[in-house]
Amino acid sequence: CRPLQFARTLLPAIRHHHERYDGKGYPDRLKGAAIPQGARILAVADAYDAMTSDRPYRPAMSHGQALFILSQGAGSQWDPELVEGFVSLVNGKEKAAT
């Protein structure tokens, strides 16, 4: 994506969306707030999408199962504040920022 001018601001999120909030992720083992915010947001959304989509090796999980797994991983795999906000948003308890 580096040569694509429009994607320049997205590069940190693309590179770091597999980092873990506890520092055990990759590629750079960043931890907590050291992970770019866009990457932390993308990580939660990407995980939810992956869990709720059919894969060749498993069927899609339910919405509730995916939210449970996200909640269980809050603070270790994902940013706990972002997980809380995501869960509220997809459950219709909070309006999206405009």
Side-chain angles (χ1 to χ4, degrees):
C1 295
R2 190 169 291 150
L4 304 174
Q5 290 298 317
F6 76 90
R8 188 163 311 283
T9 59
L10 301 174
L11 292 176
I14 293 167
R15 177 175 174 88
H16 297 294
H17 77 281
H18 285 290
E19 300 287 359
R20 288 177 48 112
Y21 200 72
D22 61 10
K24 296 179 182 176
Y26 66 90
D28 299 316
R29 299 181 63 87
L30 299 179
K31 183 177 183 178
I35 302 167
Q37 184 179 38
R40 289 182 276 140
I41 293 168
L42 183 58
V44 173
D46 182 52
Y48 176 82
D49 180 65
M51 288 186 270
T52 58
S53 300
D54 284 328
R55 299 294 188 197
Y57 50 87
R58 61 142 179 87
M61 293 179 190
S62 71
H63 168 76
Q65 288 173 305
L67 294 184
F68 177 77
I69 291 170
L70 285 172
S71 295
Q72 292 297 112
S76 58
Q77 188 162 357
W78 301 289
D79 181 322
E81 290 183 23
L82 292 176
V83 170
E84 181 181 350
F86 182 83
V87 170
S88 293
L89 183 66
V90 299
N91 280 334
K93 296 177 183 173
E94 187 176 298
K95 291 183 180 180
T98 54

